[in-house]
Amino acid sequence: PGRMATPAGGLEDAELREAQRDYLDFLDDEEDQGIYQSKVRDMISDNQYRLIVNINDLRRKNEKRASRLLSNAFEELIAFQRALKDFVASVDATYAKQYEDFYIGLEGSFGSKHVSPRTLTACFLSCIVCVEGIVTKCSLVRPKVVRSVHYCPATKKTIERRYTDMTSLDAFPSSSIYPTKDEENNPLETEFGLSVYKDHQTITIQEMPEKAPAGQLPRSVDVVLDDDLVDRVKPGDRIQVVGTYRCLPGKKGGYTSGTFRTILIACHVKQMSKDVRPLYSASDVAKIKRFSKSRSKDIFDQLARSLAPSIHGHEYIKKAILCMLLGGVEKILENGSRIRGDINILLIGDPSVAKSQLLRYVLCTAPRAIPTTGRGSSGVGLTAAVTTDPETGDRRLEAGAMVLADRGVVCIDEFDKMSDIDRTAIHEVMEQGRVTIAKAGIQARLNSRCSVLAAANPVYGRYDQYKTPMENIGMQDSLLSRFDLLFIVLDQMDPEQDREISDHVLRMHRYRNPNEQDGDAMPLGSAVEMLATDDPDFVQEEEQDLQVYEKHDDLLHGPNRRKEKVVSMEFMRKYIHVAKMIKPVLTEESASYIAEEYSRLRSQNEMDSDMARTSPITARTLETLIRLSTAHAKARMNKTVDMQDAEAALELVQFAYFKKVLEKEKKRRKPAEDDSETEKEDDQETKDKEERRTRRRKKARTEGEEGSYDPYDFSDAEEEMPQVQAHPPKTPEASGAGEGKKLELAEPRLKAFKAALLEVFKASHAQSVGLKSMMESINRDNPEPFSAAEVKVALAHMQDDNQIMVSDDIIFLI
Amino acid sequence: MPCVGDWLNSPLSIVQGIFAQNVPNSDWEKKVTEYFKEKLKENNATNWVPSLNDVPVHYLKPNSLVKFRCMVQDMFDPEFYMGVYETVDPNTNARVLHFGKYRDVAECGPQQEIDLNSSQTVTLERQTFYCVPVPGESAWVKEISFFDCKIICGFLNPQCHAYISASQARVSPSTSYTPSRHKRSYEEDEDMDLHPSKQKEQHMGKSCCSGGDIHGCVEPKRLETEASAGHHVISPNCSPPLDLNFPLPGEKGPACLVKVYENWESFKVNDVLEVFGVLSVDPVLSIVNSEERDSSTLDPMECMDTAEEQRVHSPPASLVPRIHVILAQKLQHINPLLPACLKEEESKTCEFVSNFMSELSPVRAELLGFLTHALLGDSLAAEYLILHLISTVYARRDVLPLGKFTVNLSGCPRNSAFAEHLYRLIQQLVPASYHLRMSIESMNHSRFIPHKDYTANRLVSGLLQLASNTSLLIDETQLEQGQLDTAGVHNVTALGNLITWQKVDYDFNYHQMEFPCNINVLITSEGRSLLPSDCQVHLQPQIIPPNMEEYMSSLLTAVLPSVLNKFRIYLSLLRLLDYSISDEVTKAVEEDFVEMRKNNPESVTADDLHKMLLVARFLSLSAGQTTLSRERWLRAKQLEALRKARLQQQQCVNGNEL
């Protein structure tokens, strides 16, 4: 075959030279911006031999060349690398001689050539592609001979031989026979010191699970890494590989199978973040923006309603879960401690109220969610464990569910069945977001900044209406206070609601997706996502991909009442991902509102006798309020946390924190009515609140109109937090009382007191005097007697000035 | 009898003919599939094709058309091959075009060379599936389909004929074949003479690898069959035995590498397929791999494939034959008593269905009676068992599978092997089933969840990798107290997930992937099962037979084979029927529910409504009705009430005992 290529080679040579010239032009960009010149200089000073070129830069400068580089990779890359070598030689001639080859690595946007192992088809052969996947297998790093030098003792000649194989860019592999004899059959000695070897490794990358279509096994592709690229990745990493896709003829042992192997020869490897992120196109973002603008009013409600549409009701829980998915804003204080942004939710309730189903839904929606059960988490448990390798005896750190779910959600079912050890361990994790391990000589701190969504059954199996929520839950306050929201999910009796439930269940049973085949699953949890945006082939699919609303089906969703459109899951996922990135800040108004409502919550505690708290109201509640309102603002894609956000947060907290306890006799008499009464009361309460709120809002608005309302933003996180933290120590009553009694003593009055006091000391000829006797003596013939309060203040003043000391009602002169 | 010899015995020559006629255009491929589709449409033509399920590989002629009923166990990466290539004779410089489709080895005459750089070469893509026979396939399914095959294909195919006559006396031929020694027949000799090149290859094969022998002496063949029956095979160079990766332990039958040329995106893992294709058992495939390892030190591919991967992806062809698929279809069911495809609006199918529907109620009554006896005289449990057996996941609503109906049969007598015998009866009724005996030992040591083995680059199967509509009977009565280890906990969790969500999380080491499934789970236990279930039925035996074994086997023998077949049709057919609820009934049900809540809010929840609707669904279907009627709804309510009353009663009994 080599012979055949030569006649054509002449023509190609000219092209090759032209290409080389183009590339040299591109690299030598001194007149332009000098980017690549400085990059090459950096490369030399770093003692590297691979230059990373952004394909976008090349496209800008020489579009034709860029497209040829991508589609005709082998020749073009050789030309590029030669150009680089020439350029390096012009910059630093000695450096250029040090290395056999200089390599080009590519990055930038690859458009339709940005693929996954599944979409890497035959049409990409000999193209440069960018493939994403998880590394599943790494071979050992082996040396590969590039050039061997042989010495023949008989003829005293040295022979040099170069080796190329199918994994190098040169199209034709050299003979793979390693010479041991020369032409005259004289034995040869290999000069190992002069021979050149390069590192060589093959890895396998596999399609990422979230991109594999439902029911299909993930595909994989082999990648060849050479030289400086070896050992860059380890199994389990998510990477992007840019390289040349090539097929190797499957010529094995003298027969031709007619099949080919395909490999990717890498020129650049990039680690991807561990975060699973959906890829969205510009139009997706536009849709998301439009959606957030168009329905800015009830967007939160609508999104919440679209969560787990198969579960009826539980609006507040769905809202809370939406908040959890969006999360608050995390803050790291200067002293290193952290105020979490993750929202933790605990659901407690009767068996069979769709708790597990909600958990399952979150597993499918959240980008990173780890399921576990309180009972089943054996060995490693929830946090982390030190294990010993049975063979080597090495100690290993094994991450538990909460560590694995870092920056995600951990769903714990049967939370009540958890072992005490796990429950203690969870304390630290939930507040600080990390696990500290000090066991078996291993000390480690692992991040586990995750939201917790837990479901538990009540202590008595069923929720006992006659007992307080605390009794029913049966967990320590310290653990409960770490949950932002605690919901008691009960099976409520109400004909209207029953009707709705039955309607819902029936609709589900009658529904049948017209496109769905027997036993086919809906593509949930693993949707195909398109990697490229500008490929015409994908346009159609993309349209399908991002449907904002689920298709309305009368049978499934019921008659079109209200504006109950359900947002499609795919859209929801993307929306949440975008919304999550916003970091809204509190406005002054909402901050003060939250502070005020917080103190109200604290006092409400004692006021309502028949409403019992589900969990203690502590300083953490205040943080909860802030987190929830931030999440609500995120849902609206608003950069500030406004009043409406704070109100929504308060509503959630109000709902979650209080639960009525029934009285026994009352219940006996008319159980059904009683329930509705509670609801009525609730309604009344919310109505009251509503009124108050509208009033407030009006007030705020008028204020705004008067003084050109300027929404002052707490731009700095630190600025806001001390205020939040300052609250807990001073209870509302204390601060109120203190202010009322504050008496300011006038200066002349204080002077008079001082003089009188000195008289008293002089008269008694002592260093100390009792408070009572002092009062008597100073007020004896005083036209303006000092009151006890005045004396107290004055004494305190003098004590501050280090003039006297008061102890046990005895005043000492200093 | 039409002349079928050609397309059956040497399909490749037909392909060659079509290829030669149409060579400049690329639509020869379409014509090939059309040709075979036409041929197979003819009367019972599918039955003439010998099936790999019934006939051992070495009785089948290489490169003949075969069929295979199988489940996709693993999907390998796609493979590029030369769709069209050119050979050149170095002496005469004569060039010939060949097609590479439906072949493993690019054919090339003795004096010819393949021109790899020819401009005529077309590179195409194909997909390889690793297929295994449907896991847990009942013996009767094999028997009946074998019987069908036996009648016709015996006349056509000498090898089959030899095999069939050898195994004529056997009852269940395909499950345990130990072919008697037989001399190389005249036909085979002739066959060898006709294919001199083949013969050469075979001799090569014989010298290098006795496992690759096809027509040689009988001894190695026997060794091979026995070994494969034992799940493993001892290969000549004493490397560890090859695991054929069957999901269930103790499975037999050929595993196969199925090469698919079209529409492979439509097939999913665990799909049940029937494929028609060219059988390839070229021994070259196995020799090359064993040779390759010691040659070529500078081979770039050398370090890419581990030895394990080689073994898995190109196992000896004699053990894991290749089928190059010409036609493939997904099967809705594997019951040979039913027409293969029920969806089609064919008159024959309609006739079959309507005929059967007319005699549905007597069949149902008989089946109920049969199951009542099997459940020791408990007719309520028998009723629920029917409902369970016709249940199937018909849709999914976000995470929730609809139509699954897991029954927990509690109160099963312990130590009487009741569950064992019940399983044997169910096995006689359903096309695929598995009996999982739960014990501390089995939970800790079996492999439930399939996991990816990256060194061998394959999906190592587990017990829960089952085809749709497989009946899984979990026997909890044998479970003793004890400690589950980590694997055990994982296995129990996986079972729980399977039951609740009808999904199995396959373990990909770095992540997990959910695969939906549709498996009917029946749990037998003494008390309430530790696994979740949709409905618990407490068994109330009316009779306690002194000898369970005798009782149960007499039950089976009492049923006429024709009646048994009707049971089988009944259960498979009703599962495929459509069902709907009319508006009026919906309203009535809604009213009913609200009413029930009013009277007794504690006992009726949304979940109960869900269950009742399921019961009503299957109750209607079991009577052949595809819409819910008021009467059925009431009957469903009544059944549920009876079942619940029984459970409560049971609780009381237990309470009193304490």
Side-chain angles (χ1 to χ4, degrees), chain A residues 757-769 813:
Chain A
L757 188 64
L758 205 64
E759 284 302 308
V760 175
F761 275 114
K762 267 185 189 166
S764 60
H765 297 286
Q767 290 292 307
S768 61
V769 68
L813 190 69

Side-chain angles (χ1 to χ4, degrees), chain A residues 137 142 176 206 216 219-220 235 255 257-260 262 310 360 491-493 498-499 502 510, chain B residues 77 80-82 104 126-127 265 288 298 303 309 398 454 510 514 581 583 586 590-591 597 601 605:
Chain A
K137 195 161 74 178
R142 292 209 178 93
S176 60
Q206 185 188 277
Q216 301 270 9
R219 297 254 179 90
S220 55
Y255 92 108
S257 66
T259 57
F260 302 101
T262 49
S310 63
R360 193 80 188 178
D491 199 10
Q492 294 280 0
M493 315 300 148
D498 290 348
R499 201 175 297 275
S502 69
R510 295 176 66 187
Chain B
D77 290 327
F80 293 126
Y81 70 99
M82 291 189 289
D104 280 310
R126 68 185 170 206
Q127 171 81 51
E265 306 87 2
V288 176
L298 282 167
C303 48
E309 192 173 339
D398 359 302
Y454 285 111
Y510 307 104
E514 259 179 8
I581 306 174
D583 283 338
T586 308
E590 208 173 299
E591 292 298 326
R597 292 274 289 183
T605 61

Side-chain angles (χ1 to χ4, degrees), chain B residues 177-179 220-233:
Chain B
Y177 39 76
T178 38
K221 185 167 23 185
R222 262 176 62 105
L223 177 95
E224 169 197 315
T225 359
E226 276 154 20
S228 71
H231 206 217
H232 295 310
V233 84

Side-chain angles (χ1 to χ4, degrees), chain B residues 401-593:
Chain B
L402 296 173
K404 61 157 184 117
F405 195 64
T406 306
V407 170
N408 174 15
L409 205 60
S410 61
C412 293
R414 201 184 156 81
N415 301 330
S416 60
F418 167 74
E420 187 68 49
H421 293 292
L422 183 64
Y423 170 67
R424 276 187 212 158
L425 287 185
I426 288 176
Q427 215 179 6
Q428 284 298 319
L429 299 174
V430 297
S433 58
Y434 181 64
H435 188 197
L436 177 65
R437 295 164 194 85
M438 264 178 112
S439 69
I440 295 294
E441 169 83 8
S442 72
M443 295 315 275
N444 281 344
H445 294 107
S446 6
R447 213 168 48 199
F448 274 44
I449 312 160
H451 72 269
K452 180 89 176 181
D453 174 359
Y454 285 111
T455 33
N457 192 15
R458 73 161 162 186
L459 187 72
V460 178
S461 193
L463 280 182
L464 297 184
Q465 193 180 12
L466 298 173
S468 272
N469 289 328
T470 304
S471 280
L472 180 65
L473 184 76
I474 301 176
D475 182 9
E476 215 181 87
T477 55
Q478 304 297 318
L479 191 64
E480 303 278 344
Q481 285 189 2
Q483 183 76 42
L484 285 181
D485 60 16
T486 316
V489 172
H490 279 305
N491 284 340
V492 175
T493 320
L495 270 183
N497 278 342
L498 169 78
I499 292 168
T500 328
W501 309 112
Q502 289 288 339
K503 275 182 184 182
V504 182
D505 288 321
Y506 290 14
D507 182 5
F508 280 83
N509 204 347
Y510 307 104
H511 57 87
Q512 293 188 329
M513 263 177 99
E514 259 179 8
F515 285 86
C517 55
N518 184 2
I519 297 170
N520 291 17
V521 186
L522 177 68
I523 309 163
T524 53
S525 61
E526 236 179 323
R528 209 190 120 127
S529 165
L530 67 91
L531 295 167
S533 64
D534 292 317
C535 114
Q536 184 193 352
V537 183
H538 197 84
L539 192 70
Q540 283 183 340
Q542 307 296 314
I543 24 165
I544 305 283
N547 187 341
M548 191 68 82
E549 173 134 33
E550 213 171 89
Y551 174 78
M552 289 291 198
S553 49
S554 68
L555 258 182
L556 254 187
T557 44
V559 185
L560 290 172
S562 63
V563 177
L564 200 58
N565 278 350
K566 276 187 183 153
F567 291 169
R568 291 163 180 167
I569 296 171
Y570 175 86
L571 292 178
S572 298
L573 184 66
L574 292 182
R575 202 177 255 168
L576 298 168
L577 290 184
D578 251 337
Y579 172 79
S580 63
I581 306 174
S582 68
D583 283 338
E584 303 99 87
V585 179
T586 308
K587 203 144 257 150
V589 169
E590 208 173 299
E591 292 298 326
D592 225 14
F593 177 68

Side-chain angles (χ1 to χ4, degrees), chain A residues 1 4 120-122 125 134-137 139 142 144-145 163 165-167 175-178 200 202 206-209 212-222 224 235-236 245 247-249 251-253 255-263 308-311 352 356-357 360-361 364 376-379 462 491-495 498-499 501-503 505-506 508-513 516-522 524-526 550 556-557, chain B residues 73-82 103-106 114 116-117 121 123 125-127 264-269 284-285 288-289 291-292 297-298 300-306 309-310 330 332 343 393-400 402 452 454-455 457 459 485-486 489 497 501 503 505-506 508 510-516 518 575-576 578 581-583 586 589-591 593-594 597-598 601-602 604-607 609-610 613-614 617:
Chain A
M4 283 192 48
L120 188 66
T121 50
L125 281 173
I134 298 179
V135 181
T136 56
K137 195 161 74 178
S139 77
R142 292 209 178 93
K144 188 149 96 178
V145 63
Y163 300 87
D165 60 22
M166 291 305 286
T167 68
S175 111
S176 60
I177 300 144
Y178 194 77
H200 175 84
T202 46
Q206 185 188 277
E207 192 175 13
M208 284 189 276
Q216 301 270 9
L217 289 172
R219 297 254 179 90
S220 55
V221 65
D222 288 332
V224 174
Y245 193 43
C247 77
L248 310 175
K251 199 166 176 170
K252 302 172 179 174
Y255 92 108
T256 313
S257 66
T259 57
F260 302 101
R261 288 205 54 127
T262 49
I263 52 161
S310 63
I311 303 161
S352 85
S356 308
Q357 215 176 311
R360 193 80 188 178
Y361 187 87
C364 292
S377 58
S378 65
R462 256 182 182 279
D491 199 10
Q492 294 280 0
M493 315 300 148
D494 172 23
D498 290 348
R499 201 175 297 275
I501 290 175
S502 69
D503 187 46
V505 173
L506 271 161
M508 225 158 59
H509 274 263
R510 295 176 66 187
Y511 169 72
R512 195 176 174 107
N513 189 340
E516 202 178 335
Q517 282 189 358
D518 255 10
D520 260 8
M522 303 241 272
L524 181 79
S526 46
E550 248 175 46
L556 181 62
H557 301 117
Chain B
Q73 191 270 325
D74 196 359
M75 295 162 138
F76 295 155
D77 290 327
E79 190 176 65
F80 293 126
Y81 70 99
M82 291 189 289
R103 281 180 181 162
D104 280 310
V105 179
I114 293 171
L116 289 172
N117 298 315
T121 307
T123 305
E125 202 176 346
R126 68 185 170 206
Q127 171 81 51
W264 56 77
E265 306 87 2
S266 63
F267 301 120
K268 292 179 179 140
V269 75
V284 181
L285 292 171
V288 176
N289 295 323
E291 260 181 3
E292 195 183 32
T297 41
L298 282 167
M301 291 163 296
E302 170 224 19
C303 48
M304 261 182 253
D305 278 358
T306 53
E309 192 173 339
Q310 281 283 349
K330 263 196 226 186
Q332 284 179 303
K343 280 274 139 88
V393 177
Y394 63 91
R396 277 170 206 268
R397 188 82 183 97
D398 359 302
V399 291
L400 196 72
L402 296 173
K452 180 89 176 181
Y454 285 111
T455 33
N457 192 15
L459 187 72
D485 60 16
T486 316
V489 172
N497 278 342
W501 309 112
K503 275 182 184 182
D505 288 321
Y506 290 14
F508 280 83
Y510 307 104
H511 57 87
Q512 293 188 329
M513 263 177 99
E514 259 179 8
F515 285 86
N518 184 2
R575 202 177 255 168
L576 298 168
D578 251 337
I581 306 174
S582 68
D583 283 338
T586 308
V589 169
E590 208 173 299
E591 292 298 326
F593 177 68
V594 174
R597 292 274 289 183
K598 228 181 243 168
E602 283 298 311
V604 188
T605 61
D607 226 34
L609 176 65
H610 193 77
L613 281 169
L614 272 181
R617 178 193 177 94

Side-chain angles (χ1 to χ4, degrees), chain A residues 586 588 591-592 595 622 714 718-728:
Chain A
L586 278 168
E588 199 170 9
S592 62
L622 186 56
F714 285 88
E718 270 75 50
E719 220 173 308
E720 171 204 332
M721 286 327 288
Q723 183 201 358
V724 172
Q725 288 206 311
H727 264 275

